[in-house]
């Protein structure tokens, strides 16, 4: 079993990202449970990082920094605001937002515990709010996750727990699936316990999609799913 | 505004996680040439490399809170994001202008500050020279395999096909190259 053997010889190529996908996934699986190989990998990743210094030096245009700052400034205002918040507008205090986040967080924490006890797939709450339990796969057999969404699907939150920590070459990516097409909705990593909660940034209502999946992708995310799925779930109304 | 004594990279990332514009500005000043150089070496196109550079810093802005210092230095993290993004684009393009192909022989020490602070600039220049010397000490066939992996994002199987060499030979070349670089860079 590969889990029982160290993979030291493959780590230099893994650090360069030059292993074939299937081999890389095997190594990633081993790394998840082997601190010796993880430590060795960090050294080779550092070497790979230093190789950048040997790249022929090139200089970007002078206007690149203003373009960056402009893009960053445009990020916040362009985020779509949910319809039902619009009327509350400017009067919605920071404390109220924090309170809402706390309520959702507590609710989701309870739902995660509830799920472990009852294995329910969909929970319905007041005002049509739904919590959809995601199914884990063999790639992350201990993980769990929920998508919590409002009745109109305009707002949604993803909460995951006990997902394996990934090395710096990989992150998790959330996909919204419709007619076989995948739309990226988030790229994220998890904390030491495998936990992460975040708002789902969907281009349209979540009700427009049939399912969600979380895959392992190269750092920064992919244009299309390329890695193994760790969590999947159906968004269809029961 | 940032204090006159400049924060280290990790501190900058923490400030960026708090949406501090001056922090992302400072990080850009420190690393824009390095990020752009790597992107340009991979995609070989000025405008595409600039878009990649923008995307990298925007990603840092959006995901600074998820940075884990125990896993990689900030510069290593930036380079990892840059390479993955650039190689992803390269793979989608499926071809690359040969006129812009990069190999280690193209490498030449250039003037011009990579880093603002003079002391850091000298240190950075020495480090660049050290890495270039280390790469130059590799046997030609190892440098060639390493360049295809690093700048073209080829997998070992693809390198094997491109160079018409057995896969096992390529695996050995990559492994030996990285192990030798590790030894050389540790020594200096």
């Amino acid at each position: 079993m590969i889990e029982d053997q160290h993979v030291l010889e493959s780590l230099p190529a893994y650090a360069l990202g030059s292993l074939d996908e299937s081999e890389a996934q095997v190594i990633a699986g081993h790394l998840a449970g082997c601190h010796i190989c993880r430590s060795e990998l960090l050294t080779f990743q550092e070497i790979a990082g230093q190789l950048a210094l040997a790249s022929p030096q090139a200089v970007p245009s002078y206007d690149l920094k203003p373009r960056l700052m402009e893009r960053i400034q445009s990020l916040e205002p362009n985020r779509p605001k949910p319809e039902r918040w619009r009327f509350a507008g400017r009067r919605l205090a920071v404390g109220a937002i924090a309170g809402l986040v706390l309520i959702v967080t507590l609710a989701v924490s309870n739902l995660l515990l509830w799920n472990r006890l009852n294995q329910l797939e969909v929970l319905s709450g007041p005002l049509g709010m739904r919590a959809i339990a995601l199914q884990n796969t063999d790639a992350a057999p201990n993980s769990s996750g929920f998508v919590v969404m409002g009745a109109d699907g305009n707002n949604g939150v993803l909460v995951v727990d006990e997902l394996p920590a990934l090395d710096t070459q990989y992150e998790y990516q959330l996909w919204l699936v419709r007619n076989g097409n995948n739309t990226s909705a988030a790229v994220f990593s998890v904390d030491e316990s495998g936990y992460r909660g975040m708002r789902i940034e969907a281009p349209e209502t979540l009700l427009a999609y049939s399912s969600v999946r979380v895959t392992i992708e190269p750092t920064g995310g992919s244009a299309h799913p390329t890695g193994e799925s760790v969590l999947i779930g159906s968004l269809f109304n029961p | 505004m940032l204090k006159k004594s400049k924060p280290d990279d990790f501190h900058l990332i923490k400030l960026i996680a708090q949406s501090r514009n001056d922090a992302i500005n400072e990080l850009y000043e420190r690393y824009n040439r390095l990020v752009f150089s790597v992107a340009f070496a991979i995609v070989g196109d000025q405008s595409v490399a600039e878009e990649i550079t923008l995307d990298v810093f925007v990603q840092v802005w959006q995901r600074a809170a998820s940075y884990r210092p125990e896993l990689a230095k900030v510069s290593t993290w930036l380079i990892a994001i840059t390479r993955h993004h650039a190689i992803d684009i390269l793979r989608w393009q499926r071809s690359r202008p040969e006129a812009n192909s990069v190999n280690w022989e193209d490498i030449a020490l250039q003037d011009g500050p990579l880093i603002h602070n003079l002391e850091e600039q000298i240190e950075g220049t020495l480090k660049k020279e050290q890495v270039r010397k280390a790469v130059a000490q590799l046997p030609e066939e190892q440098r060639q395999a390493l360049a295809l992996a690093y700048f073209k994002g080829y997998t070992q199987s693809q390198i094997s096909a491109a160079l018409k060499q057995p896969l096992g030979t390529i695996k050995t070349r990559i492994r030996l190259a990285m192990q030798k670089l590790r030894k050389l860079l540790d020594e200096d």
Side-chain angles (χ1 to χ4, degrees):
Chain A
M1 290 283 287
I2 190 79
E3 287 79 8
D4 299 325
Q5 301 167 353
H6 292 304
V7 292
L8 300 172
E9 293 211 333
S10 297
L11 295 179
Y14 186 82
L16 287 169
S18 63
L19 287 180
D20 291 312
E21 188 61 34
S22 57
E23 196 177 354
Q25 285 183 8
V26 171
I27 302 300
H30 174 84
L31 287 167
C34 178
H35 69 91
I36 294 173
C37 286
R38 275 205 306 273
S39 171
E40 190 74 358
L41 176 65
L42 291 181
T43 306
F44 283 112
Q45 286 176 330
E46 185 60 30
I47 298 293
Q50 289 185 32
L51 279 175
L53 294 171
S55 304
Q57 293 297 297
V59 183
S61 308
Y62 285 112
D63 70 345
L64 198 61
K65 188 160 81 171
R67 285 165 58 196
L68 170 67
M69 301 313 288
E70 191 179 322
R71 192 176 290 188
I72 283 173
Q73 296 297 332
S74 70
L75 288 175
E76 289 297 322
N78 283 352
R79 284 187 180 168
K81 290 183 180 172
E83 188 67 29
R84 69 170 181 270
W85 285 27
R86 205 166 283 159
F87 68 88
R90 298 165 192 159
R91 289 174 177 253
L92 194 57
V94 173
I97 295 172
L100 282 173
V101 169
L102 181 62
I103 289 167
V104 170
T105 304
L106 289 172
V108 169
S109 298
N110 284 334
L111 289 173
L112 280 170
L113 292 171
W114 193 0
N115 179 54
R116 286 174 188 166
L117 290 172
N118 299 319
Q119 297 297 308
L120 293 176
E121 288 186 359
V122 179
L123 295 171
S124 294
L127 303 175
M129 179 173 271
R130 289 191 301 144
I132 297 142
L134 305 182
Q135 300 296 309
N136 56 33
T137 70
D138 290 343
N142 297 322
S143 65
S144 57
F146 265 98
V147 168
V148 183
M149 56 193 275
D152 56 7
N154 286 332
N155 294 293
V157 176
L158 171 71
V159 180
V160 297
D161 197 15
E162 295 189 32
L163 276 175
L166 302 174
D167 69 70
T168 52
Q169 288 187 303
Y170 291 93
E171 286 183 297
Y172 292 105
Q173 190 161 6
L174 173 68
W175 303 93
L176 303 170
V177 185
R178 174 171 54 189
N179 300 326
N181 296 317
N182 293 273
T183 301
S184 176
V187 179
F188 63 95
S189 54
V190 294
D191 67 14
E192 296 78 10
S193 63
Y195 173 85
R196 182 69 188 271
M198 82 209 73
R199 180 178 170 162
I200 299 172
E201 297 290 347
E204 53 189 308
T205 170
L206 292 173
L207 299 178
Y209 300 91
S210 57
S211 61
V212 296
R213 60 195 288 215
V214 175
T215 62
I216 299 172
E217 301 293 337
T219 300
S222 301
H224 304 280
T226 62
E228 237 177 329
S229 294
V230 291
L231 291 167
I232 54 176
S234 170
L235 293 180
F236 278 132
N237 284 305
Chain B
M1 290 288 289
L2 295 173
K3 292 175 186 174
K4 286 208 168 179
S5 59
K6 290 186 176 178
D8 61 25
D9 288 349
F10 179 39
H11 190 195
L12 271 186
I13 295 293
K14 287 198 282 190
L15 293 174
I16 292 169
Q18 298 165 20
S19 299
R20 288 274 298 268
N21 281 1
D22 52 350
I24 189 72
N25 187 68
E26 174 64 21
L27 192 79
Y28 179 87
E29 288 297 329
R30 288 185 193 181
Y31 290 110
N32 77 84
R33 289 190 180 197
L34 182 60
V35 168
F36 178 77
S37 295
V38 172
F40 185 75
I42 292 171
V43 298
D45 181 281
Q46 175 88 13
S47 61
V48 176
E50 288 189 352
E51 278 304 312
I52 291 168
T53 304
L54 284 177
D55 288 345
V56 168
F57 284 99
V58 167
Q59 282 191 40
V60 169
W61 175 259
Q62 292 175 315
R63 296 164 39 215
S66 69
Y67 169 67
R68 295 171 65 186
E70 72 276 17
L71 292 181
K73 292 196 301 189
V74 171
S75 57
T76 307
W77 185 50
L78 280 173
I79 294 306
I81 296 173
T82 306
R83 281 193 69 233
H84 286 304
H85 193 18
I87 288 170
D88 200 34
I89 287 173
L90 192 63
R91 285 175 179 163
W92 277 100
Q93 290 174 338
R94 294 187 178 202
S95 64
R96 183 167 173 238
E98 287 307 312
N100 292 312
S101 66
V102 170
N103 58 55
W104 301 107
E105 280 67 35
D106 292 335
I107 294 164
L109 197 60
Q110 293 184 358
D111 296 326
L114 180 68
I115 303 167
H116 271 177
N117 178 284
L118 181 61
E119 191 179 336
E120 289 178 357
Q121 183 185 329
I122 293 168
E123 194 181 322
T125 303
L126 290 173
K127 187 67 189 175
K128 276 192 290 183
E129 184 62 15
Q130 180 194 359
V131 173
R132 286 167 180 167
K133 278 183 179 169
V135 171
Q137 288 185 52
L138 296 176
E140 166 59 26
E141 67 271 15
Q142 290 180 16
R143 278 207 307 272
Q144 189 181 33
L146 196 59
L148 289 173
Y150 198 79
F151 289 122
K152 286 202 170 186
Y154 279 13
T155 64
Q156 293 181 133
S157 299
Q158 290 170 323
I159 296 170
S160 165
L163 299 181
K164 297 184 173 59
Q165 294 288 327
L167 179 58
T169 302
I170 298 303
K171 286 185 175 184
T172 302
R173 287 178 186 175
I174 296 272
R175 188 178 70 251
L176 292 179
M178 289 292 280
Q179 286 172 341
K180 184 161 187 183
L181 285 175
R182 177 185 187 176
K183 186 168 178 287
L184 291 170
L185 294 172
D186 276 351
E187 276 175 0
D188 292 328

